[in-house]
């Protein structure tokens, strides 16, 4: 990757329909246009059923659009997946319980054919990045939820992808751990300069982390608003600042499209 | 040592207590020998005929272990096929279920006609078929019931389906496989002994039980049953040792939890 692509992610006129032609046919995404520039931190937020996870999986080429195109790093999403251009982190952490922490972080490197010595070197670096240096020989079951998510992030970054796709990675964590993880993720983002697309349910989380918050509306999933968050450097006090509250309110207002009976 | 004692202590106390109760009540009630001999009589018969019992256990053990290995190998192979190829799943799974619906032990006399009355193949075949089904069903479940996120993660790395099998499906199936191995090891002993009632070598546990019961030497018959139980227990424990050795992460979680 010598030439930096202009757009990390470019989604144009994407529609996604599940179960095409069947009685349970459902339109998950409708006419989505989204561009994420290189090095940006963008959050996708919306109620259940708004298709934010589907959109993330389209970017990851784990599913394909019914109409429209998805480009990652100026190539097709499929090609980007084959080129291992992105790392992914899930809410469940998806660590393999039969592998130690070290072996979990090594897994993508092993698949990509790195030599043993290079793998070991890289794992040490990654464990250091997520502050888990003493836990390399432990198994995932021995770690707390927050620690497991840190391992999942380390694994996603281990092979130096330019893009990080995260699907509610902190969704299962308690509030304190969650805030702590957010700060750490921003630290990692600042140090590594990755592009991040982050799916979340939490308004404060989206505002605290992102430069841009994409608000999505449900049934079918559409982009309702695109809010830029320019509240300066994130520090502990950020969460108590009036600017932060103003942005949280703005996102909350943008999420008020649904006055229906369900939610 | 203290931990081991704490782990097996309650079972040991219950077992010994049960044996004592059995012995004492028999000393008081003195039932007829054909009902059930006292534990001391069975033990005495066991040690009196230890040479004969040992030889018979070795012969039955040979059938059990070879049949177990064959059945496990077949079950695992079948499971790998079924989890890998849709066509295999659609054809082999119903076939296996149909096969399992046959009262397999009832095939023993027929197998004797096929393979020869004294041939070990007949009894081994019974054990193989008995063992096959639980191993196949459980291992298939373990190979297919993988967390969707874990599969998506592998796809995100553009991993080949062989990599997914090797790195995700097979390790995921290990606990299911070992559960089935424990069931299968007991089934194998039952299958071998019952098959021996109908044919095969005459110096094995099955014939020993039949002959002694026929001659009203009930303590001797029970001593042979005891040998069969010990064989089953040894195989069960061996399965447990293999299980622990192949899944160190389970053990790690236990120690971390305490």
């Amino acid at each position: 990757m010598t030439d930096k692509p202009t757009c990390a992610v470019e989604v144009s006129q994407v529609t996604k329909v599940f179960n095409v032609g069947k009685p349970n046919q459902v339109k998950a995404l409708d006419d989505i246009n989204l561009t994420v520039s290189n090095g940006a931190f963008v959050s996708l937020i919306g109620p259940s059923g708004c298709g934010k996870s589907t959109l993330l999986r389209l970017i990851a080429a784990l599913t394909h659009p019914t109409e429209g195109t998805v480009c990652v790093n100026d190539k097709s999403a499929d090609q980007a997946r084959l080129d291992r251009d992105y790392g992914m982190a899930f809410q469940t952490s998806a660590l393999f319980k039969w592998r130690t922490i070290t072996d979990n972080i090594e897994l993508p490197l092993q698949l990509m054919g790195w030599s043993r010595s290079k793998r070991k070197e890289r794992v040490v670096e990654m464990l250091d990045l997520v502050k888990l240096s003493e836990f390399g020989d432990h198994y995932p079951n021995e770690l707390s939820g927050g620690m497991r998510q840190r391992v999942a992030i380390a694994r996603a970054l281990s092979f130096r992808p330019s893009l990080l796709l995260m699907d509610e990675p902190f969704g299962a964590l308690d509030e304190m751990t969650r805030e702590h993880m957010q700060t750490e993720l921003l630290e990692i983002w600042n140090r590594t300069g990755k592009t991040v697309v982050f799916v979340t349910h939490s308004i404060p989380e989206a505002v605290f982390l992102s430069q841009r918050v994409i608000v999505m509306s449900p049934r079918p999933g559409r982009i309702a608003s695109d809010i830029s968050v320019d509240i300066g450097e994130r520090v502990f006090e950020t969460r108590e600042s009036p600017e932060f509250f103003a942005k949280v309110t703005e996102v909350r207002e943008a999420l008020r499209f649904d006055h229906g009976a369900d939610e | 040592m203290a931990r081991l004692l704490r782990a097996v202590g309650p079972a040991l106390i219950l077992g010994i207590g049960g044996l004592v109760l059995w012995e004492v009540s028999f000393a008081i009630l003195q039932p007829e020998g054909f009902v059930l001999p006292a534990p001391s009589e069975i033990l005495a018969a066991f040690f009196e005929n230890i040479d004969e019992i040992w030889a018979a256990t070795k012969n039955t053990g040979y059938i059990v272990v070879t049949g177990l290995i064959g059945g496990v190998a077949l079950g695992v192979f079948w499971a790998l096929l079924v989890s890998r190829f849709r066509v295999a799943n659609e054809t082999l799974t119903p076939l296996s279920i149909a096969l399992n619906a046959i009262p397999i032990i009832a095939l023993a006399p027929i197998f004797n006609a096929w393979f020869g009355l004294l041939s070990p193949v007949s009894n081994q075949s019974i054990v193989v078929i008995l063992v096959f089904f639980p191993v196949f069903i459980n291992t298939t479940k373990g190979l297919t019931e993988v967390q969707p996120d874990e599969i998506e993660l592998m796809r995100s790395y553009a991993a080949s389906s062989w990599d997914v099998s090797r790195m995700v499906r097979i390790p995921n199936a290990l606990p299911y496989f070992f559960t089935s191995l424990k069931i299968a090891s007991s089934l194998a002993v039952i299958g071998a002994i019952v098959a021996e009632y109908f044919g095969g070598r005459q110096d094995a546990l099955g014939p020993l039980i039949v002959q002694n019961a026929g001659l009203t030497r009930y303590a001797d018959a029970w001593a042979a049953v005891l040998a069969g139980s010990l064989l089953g227990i040894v195989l069960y424990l061996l399965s447990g040792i293999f299980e622990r050795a192949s899944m160190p992460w389970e053990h790690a979680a236990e120690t971390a939890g305490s």
Side-chain angles (χ1 to χ4, degrees):
Chain A
M1 253 175 290
T2 40
D3 298 318
K4 281 234 162 185
T6 42
C7 287
V9 177
E10 191 163 16
V11 178
S12 356
Q13 295 169 332
V14 160
T15 297
K16 176 69 184 176
V17 182
F18 286 111
N19 308 316
V20 179
K22 292 187 193 145
N24 56 348
Q25 173 171 327
V26 58
K27 199 175 220 181
L29 292 171
D30 187 30
D31 192 30
I32 301 287
N33 291 287
L34 174 68
T35 306
V36 178
S37 56
N38 223 342
F41 198 126
V42 174
S43 284
L44 307 176
I45 193 167
S48 309
C50 72
K52 55 192 188 298
S53 289
T54 304
L55 182 51
L56 194 75
R57 293 173 72 255
L58 282 166
I59 298 169
L62 294 173
T63 183
H64 296 95
T66 313
E67 282 168 46
T69 55
V70 181
C71 292
V72 173
N73 291 343
D74 296 340
K75 47 195 158 185
S76 75
D78 266 315
Q79 191 56 46
R81 180 174 69 90
L82 295 176
D83 291 349
R84 282 107 174 202
D85 274 7
Y86 69 84
M88 197 151 183
F90 299 88
Q91 181 175 354
T92 57
S93 83
L95 296 181
F96 297 108
K97 65 177 178 187
W98 49 83
R99 286 175 162 251
T100 61
I101 299 312
T102 295
D103 291 345
N104 263 291
I105 298 175
E106 263 192 40
L107 178 108
L109 308 179
Q110 230 175 315
L111 284 167
M112 292 166 203
W114 288 36
S115 73
R116 182 175 291 268
S117 58
K118 270 185 79 187
R119 290 196 319 244
K120 292 289 167 225
E121 205 177 296
R122 186 69 181 144
V123 167
V124 169
E125 241 173 88
M126 295 317 295
L127 283 172
D128 187 52
L129 180 74
V130 296
K131 303 180 180 126
L132 286 172
S133 296
E134 312 94 278
F135 292 92
D137 295 332
H138 286 63
Y139 285 101
N141 285 354
E142 300 172 276
L143 267 57
S144 69
M147 288 158 105
R148 283 206 286 269
Q149 280 306 340
R150 299 221 293 264
V151 178
I153 293 169
R155 180 176 59 183
L157 293 173
S158 63
F159 53 101
R160 299 197 182 88
S162 63
L163 174 64
L164 188 55
L165 302 176
M166 308 183 84
D167 193 358
E168 294 187 48
F170 308 147
L173 304 180
D174 65 78
E175 196 59 30
M176 271 93 70
T177 311
R178 196 169 182 152
E179 288 191 358
H180 186 70
M181 291 295 297
Q182 290 164 4
T183 308
E184 284 197 10
L185 178 60
L186 280 184
E187 242 172 65
I188 291 169
W189 178 62
N190 281 325
R191 276 170 63 179
T192 57
K194 306 289 177 192
T195 310
V196 182
V197 180
F198 190 99
V199 168
T200 180
H201 262 124
S202 159
I203 300 169
E205 179 167 271
V207 171
F208 185 78
L209 289 173
S210 328
Q211 297 174 312
R212 258 170 88 198
V213 177
I214 311 293
V215 177
M216 296 183 67
S217 66
R219 282 174 285 270
R222 288 198 178 99
I223 292 179
S225 25
D226 183 342
I227 298 169
S228 64
V229 186
D230 36 7
I231 54 172
E233 197 199 340
R234 292 352 184 233
V235 288
F236 184 82
E237 289 75 19
T238 303
R239 287 194 183 84
E240 297 157 11
S241 70
E243 297 83 12
F244 180 77
F245 280 118
K247 276 296 164 191
V248 167
T249 307
E250 191 181 338
V251 174
R252 177 169 285 128
E253 286 297 326
L255 279 162
R256 272 183 63 175
F257 33 73
D258 188 8
H259 301 280
D262 49 0
E263 294 297 334
Chain B
M1 190 62 211
R3 269 187 59 179
L4 185 72
L5 208 65
R6 209 180 317 142
V8 299
L12 214 59
I13 290 167
L14 187 71
I16 293 172
L19 283 175
V20 168
L21 193 70
W22 178 1
E23 186 74 43
V24 169
S25 59
F26 270 55
I28 297 166
L29 298 170
Q30 299 198 328
E32 295 286 348
F34 66 85
V35 177
L36 192 64
S40 57
E41 290 174 64
I42 296 171
L43 268 185
F46 185 81
F47 287 111
E48 226 167 84
N49 304 310
I50 188 73
D51 291 340
E52 192 186 10
I53 287 177
W54 175 239
T57 307
K58 274 198 290 192
N59 291 333
T60 301
Y62 172 76
I63 299 291
V64 170
V65 171
T66 50
L68 191 59
I69 291 170
V72 165
L74 196 66
V76 168
F77 178 67
W78 215 267
L80 286 170
L81 272 186
V82 160
S83 66
R84 186 70 185 76
F85 304 105
R86 188 189 294 262
V87 190
N89 185 26
E90 283 163 4
T91 50
L92 295 183
T93 305
L95 188 70
S96 314
I97 292 167
L99 194 68
N100 187 54
I102 301 171
I104 293 151
I105 288 292
L107 294 178
I110 297 168
F111 280 12
N112 286 332
W114 288 1
F115 300 110
L117 190 61
L118 300 181
S119 158
V121 179
S122 161
N123 294 352
Q124 281 167 323
S125 307
I126 295 288
V127 175
V128 166
I129 300 172
L130 269 179
V131 162
F132 161 77
F133 194 72
V135 172
F136 163 66
I137 288 290
N138 278 287
T139 308
T140 304
K141 199 174 157 78
L143 289 170
T144 49
E145 288 190 1
V146 178
Q147 289 284 324
D149 281 356
E150 295 182 351
I151 299 291
E152 294 224 311
L153 183 82
M154 293 300 279
R155 286 186 56 207
S156 83
Y157 298 140
S160 68
S161 64
W162 163 239
D163 286 330
V164 176
S165 287
R166 184 168 65 96
M167 293 172 149
V168 186
R169 294 190 187 279
I170 291 173
N172 190 68
L174 283 179
Y176 297 83
F177 166 74
F178 281 109
T179 302
S180 74
L181 186 62
K182 286 176 178 171
I183 299 168
S185 61
S186 313
L187 270 180
V189 176
I190 298 170
I193 290 178
V194 176
E196 282 167 355
Y197 290 168
F198 299 97
R201 292 182 70 127
Q202 287 309 290
D203 49 351
L205 286 176
L208 199 62
I209 295 166
V210 173
Q211 286 155 16
N212 281 316
L215 296 169
T216 71
R217 293 199 302 243
Y218 294 108
D220 291 355
W222 278 101
V225 172
L226 176 64
S229 316
L230 291 176
L231 183 59
I233 291 169
V234 167
L235 289 172
Y236 186 92
L237 291 177
L238 279 177
S239 312
I241 290 168
F242 283 138
E243 179 177 26
R244 233 180 149 84
S246 11
M247 301 194 299
W249 61 91
E250 297 288 339
H251 182 48
E254 270 169 41
T255 47
S258 62

